[in-house]
Amino acid sequence: MKWDPRVQECIPALTTGPDLRRTKLNLADAFRQADQIAAVHGDTPGETLALLEWLLGLIYAAEQFPETTDEWQEWVQEREPLDAVADWVENHTGCWDLFDSEQPLGQNPVLLPHLDAHGVGPAQLFMERVGDYNQFFDHHHLHHPQPVPADSAWRAMLVQHAFAIGMRGKLKASAMNLPGTFTNLGTNRLAPRLRIIARPAWDGATLGDLLRVNTAPWPQAPGPLNLTWNQDSPGRRDFSRPGPRQTRTPQGPADLHTVLGRSIALRPARLDDGNPGVDRVLVGAGETLDPLPGAYVDDAVTYTGPGGVKRLLGPSATRDLWRESEALYAAVAERDKGTDLYGRIALLSGRRIHLWAVGLLSTQGKPITWVSDEFPYVPGRETSLRRAAEQGSAICEYAARALYIAADTAREIAYANARPDDKKKQVARFNGEPEMWAGAADLFHVLLDQVVADENVVDAVSEFGHAVRALTIDCLNGRLTSLAGGGTGLQARVTAQSRLQRLLDHTTAPTQLKESAA
């Protein structure tokens, strides 16, 4: 059985035109038709991004990339065709067969002999199902035998290579005569942080435009393309002996975008319709990278953490991405001219771009969900956007604190003799913060759109503040409806409402939240 992404339809995409229609393309056609396709469209944000990463890696491997910022700018504005990349992909003699017995695409053949005895069901490939590599979240059993289509398995493998998080794999390394370190799975390249993709949002923008905008200039050799584990270059970890894990620095962007972050083996199987599929997998430790130099993370957003330490911005279980947008716009405003992603897109005068942020939220060694959001940008509006994001966030943070205090006021009256241990649950009954944060997200994106459209920042933030004030009052009132209509219930409701009004009009409140500003 053979499966080759250069000839098999494997890239899910949306066609251009008013009725975006889903289609699938092989690798060569994805480049040849890049300017007739609106976008890559995977089943999850992570799958979409993993595919884009691989396409970018192929552009570099084909040596069809700009070497300088000036070349990049011309390349983007003149819409340099990507046909040469398609030709290179079609003619490249390499390890493209997913089911090759010696050099399988994207895999470590060391695991192949152990698939029958120690492999598990294909659900282990999918980050949305994988749990902690031992248990799954969506009732797909570890050994569920139902095969998956080969193209789905290939895309899931790309996601693993890019996003998989550190944990212990479901492997018996001793039974396979491998060192125990093979079960210790490292955190892969994109797992700890948000990946930012610049998505062209001007009229007629295509997949080709997106790939060109995100192909950073590179003045040197692009490094090897990682097609299989045991190719001649680059040198990889050797699992034949125990000892400290070997790390390496990518040799260029082709190497970087296609790093094999997991050792994976796939067993081929026929689907009911006769098409190729995968019914068993093994997942073990893969490549481990040294800390990456700035040129390899030029989209990364940093923030100042505890102790003044600079950290890369990653997904949060408690804060939606839009609440972190001020850090993103700070990166845009403080860009290095022409040398990082934000410096380059600032050169595209008059072009609207959406900064698409994607990350994998995980906790206690388990993936939870994909998080993604888009933030608009037009060169020349970066300072205004930063100011709007900072002020908008401050307005919401103050409103959230006011809602908590008002909820606690209602609790003190409604539960006058409550036990201290019950306070948290009782405050939560009256706290409208979740509804406020959910409702403020759309308002915040409207604010950003207004600023991008060149509306006055002061007026736009003022309008946002008025809307958040009304939303905040509604959120408290919605929580207080559960109180009795008279007696203590009425007293708790009236007192909490009064407390909220005073807080929103307090001298320390943002001006835009105050009733006098309405």
Side-chain angles (χ1 to χ4, degrees):
M1 191 181 305
K2 184 176 181 179
W3 188 90
D4 185 334
R6 297 176 300 175
V7 295
Q8 302 288 340
E9 294 180 348
C10 58
I11 307 292
L14 296 175
T15 60
T16 55
D19 55 340
L20 296 177
R21 180 175 53 84
R22 295 197 67 163
T23 187
K24 268 188 185 179
L25 303 170
N26 62 43
L27 275 181
D29 286 344
F31 287 109
R32 195 160 280 125
Q33 300 178 31
D35 286 312
Q36 288 78 53
I37 294 297
V40 168
H41 188 67
D43 289 338
T44 66
E47 182 177 280
T48 299
L49 185 52
L51 286 168
L52 291 174
E53 288 285 318
W54 218 65
L55 294 176
L56 289 171
L58 292 176
I59 289 174
Y60 286 111
E63 299 189 3
Q64 299 297 319
F65 57 90
E67 296 184 2
T68 67
T69 300
D70 288 342
E71 285 184 17
W72 174 87
Q73 195 170 0
E74 182 179 357
W75 204 57
V76 171
Q77 293 176 339
E78 298 299 323
R79 305 185 80 186
E80 182 73 21
L82 298 175
D83 292 18
V85 183
D87 294 340
W88 181 90
V89 167
E90 287 180 327
N91 297 318
H92 184 270
T93 56
C95 317
W96 293 93
D97 182 5
L98 191 66
F99 299 129
D100 188 89
S101 60
E102 296 181 356
Q103 291 187 309
L105 177 65
Q107 299 166 63
N108 186 347
V110 168
L111 289 174
L112 291 177
H114 307 287
L115 268 170
D116 292 344
H118 302 291
V120 298
Q124 193 181 57
L125 266 182
F126 295 82
M127 294 299 298
E128 300 75 36
R129 303 176 185 173
V130 76
D132 61 0
Y133 284 89
N134 296 278
Q135 297 177 4
F136 301 106
F137 293 139
D138 65 353
H139 308 295
H140 278 76
H141 190 272
L142 184 65
H143 295 285
H144 196 291
Q146 185 67 31
V148 298
D151 66 309
S152 294
W154 174 72
R155 292 191 298 271
M157 180 177 65
L158 295 183
V159 177
Q160 286 276 352
H161 286 321
F163 281 103
I165 62 176
M167 56 184 71
R168 286 185 64 82
K170 182 66 175 178
L171 288 166
K172 293 183 179 179
S174 58
M176 296 185 289
N177 295 317
L178 295 169
T181 53
F182 199 72
T183 65
N184 297 328
L185 314 183
T187 298
N188 287 347
R189 179 171 65 93
L190 297 178
R193 71 176 183 94
L194 292 176
R195 174 71 162 103
I196 311 297
I197 291 287
R199 186 178 72 79
W202 55 78
D203 289 343
T206 64
L207 169 62
D209 292 313
L210 184 146
L211 292 173
R212 285 184 284 263
V213 168
N214 289 279
T215 302
W218 191 258
Q220 307 165 38
L225 176 67
N226 296 287
L227 288 176
T228 190
W229 189 273
N230 57 347
Q231 65 193 52
D232 293 337
S233 177
R236 306 185 200 279
R237 295 173 67 178
D238 180 3
F239 293 108
S240 63
R241 60 183 184 275
R245 63 184 180 184
Q246 299 145 293
T247 62
R248 72 180 186 89
T249 299
Q251 299 172 27
D255 188 4
L256 174 76
H257 289 291
T258 60
V259 161
L260 304 180
R262 284 286 187 265
S263 286
I264 291 176
L266 310 177
R267 188 175 77 176
R270 287 289 178 190
L271 303 178
D272 291 341
D273 60 7
N275 287 318
V278 169
D279 69 346
R280 295 187 79 77
V281 307
L282 270 176
V283 179
E287 293 194 87
T288 303
L289 300 181
D290 293 318
L292 295 174
Y296 287 154
V297 290
D298 75 342
D299 66 298
V301 176
T302 60
Y303 72 101
T304 303
V309 178
K310 288 283 188 180
R311 302 180 185 274
L312 293 180
L313 188 62
S316 169
T318 57
R319 294 176 63 87
D320 293 331
L321 290 185
W322 68 268
R323 296 173 62 183
E324 308 288 2
S325 63
E326 57 187 287
L328 175 58
Y329 284 123
V332 174
E334 297 169 5
R335 63 190 181 274
D336 293 327
K337 185 176 181 181
T339 61
D340 64 7
L341 172 66
Y342 309 108
R344 289 192 300 278
I345 62 176
L347 300 174
L348 302 178
S349 178
R351 299 289 190 99
R352 177 165 174 150
I353 290 172
H354 286 180
L355 300 171
W356 181 44
V358 180
L360 177 65
L361 179 62
S362 62
T363 181
Q364 297 180 344
K366 295 182 181 181
I368 302 301
T369 189
W370 295 105
V371 293
S372 67
D373 205 346
E374 290 194 5
F375 304 96
Y377 167 67
V378 169
R381 300 295 291 168
E382 47 275 294
T383 302
S384 298
L385 283 164
R386 180 181 186 178
R387 187 162 73 249
E390 290 173 346
Q391 293 178 347
S393 294
I395 288 169
C396 292
E397 293 288 353
Y398 185 92
R401 180 60 183 164
L403 280 168
Y404 179 87
I405 294 172
D408 192 45
T409 300
R411 178 203 64 82
E412 289 177 345
I413 298 172
Y415 299 100
N417 299 313
R419 295 179 304 173
D421 291 347
D422 294 334
K423 177 181 176 180
K424 185 175 181 180
K425 184 185 300 183
Q426 292 161 356
V427 171
R429 174 188 173 187
F430 303 122
N431 190 357
E433 283 188 63
E435 295 90 337
M436 189 280 295
W437 286 119
D442 287 342
L443 298 175
F444 188 82
H445 282 290
V446 169
L447 167 64
L448 297 180
D449 283 337
Q450 290 174 329
V451 175
V452 162
D454 208 18
E455 293 190 23
N456 183 279
V457 177
V458 174
D459 292 342
V461 174
S462 178
E463 182 179 335
F464 174 77
H466 302 163
V468 171
R469 178 188 177 95
L471 173 65
T472 303
I473 293 171
D474 287 345
C475 290
L476 176 65
N477 291 341
R479 288 298 185 110
L480 297 178
T481 56
S482 62
L483 288 166
T488 302
L490 177 61
Q491 181 185 0
R493 181 164 55 252
V494 171
T495 305
Q497 290 170 333
S498 177
R499 184 70 183 276
L500 180 65
Q501 292 279 357
R502 292 199 305 274
L503 287 168
L504 295 179
D505 291 322
H506 195 270
T507 55
T508 60
T511 303
Q512 299 87 349
L513 272 177
K514 297 180 181 181
E515 187 173 26
S516 59

